[in-house]
Amino acid sequence: MSINRTSPEDPDETRNLAADPAHHDIVARCIQGISEKMLAQTLRALVQDGLVWREVKPTPPPQVTYGLTEFGREVGEPLTELFDRITQRLSPRSPG
């Protein structure tokens, strides 16, 4: 599962949660256009479903890290392949 991040520091960075777990603030920056409430609800549901793990380090302030579980990686691979095939087949629509 990849999340794209567009930032002034590294505009082409793509993070892969399977290989590189991410802190909450990085996940939030990578998913543009989502409210904090919706992000929290979605991450909570993914954790409950066993697709994503969550670790909280009791530091001031607490550091929350997310990553894909083994099950999340197993499910994500074929879905990513399917998504890639669909987007390759669909041509951009011209305004009209």
Side-chain angles (χ1 to χ4, degrees):
M1 175 173 150
S2 296
I3 49 179
N4 294 320
R5 173 181 171 189
T6 303
S7 71
E9 304 90 44
D10 192 353
D12 298 320
E13 179 182 357
T14 298
R15 297 187 64 94
N16 182 332
L17 287 182
D20 189 14
H23 292 288
H24 180 272
D25 62 330
I26 293 173
V27 174
R29 282 191 304 238
C30 293
I31 305 174
Q32 298 177 357
I34 189 170
S35 70
E36 182 62 35
K37 179 180 177 181
M38 181 56 67
L39 177 61
Q41 290 173 346
T42 302
L43 287 170
R44 190 176 310 117
L46 291 170
V47 169
Q48 289 173 347
D49 291 340
L51 296 166
V52 171
W53 56 261
R54 178 180 187 263
E55 177 183 65
V56 180
K57 291 186 181 176
T59 59
Q63 289 186 333
V64 182
T65 305
Y66 295 93
L68 287 179
T69 63
E70 183 66 32
F71 178 59
R73 283 190 292 275
E74 289 172 9
V75 171
E77 288 175 17
L79 290 177
T80 299
E81 291 172 15
L82 177 62
F83 178 78
D84 289 345
R85 290 184 71 187
I86 291 170
T87 55
Q88 288 172 2
R89 293 278 308 231
L90 296 177
S91 61
R93 297 179 188 258
S94 60

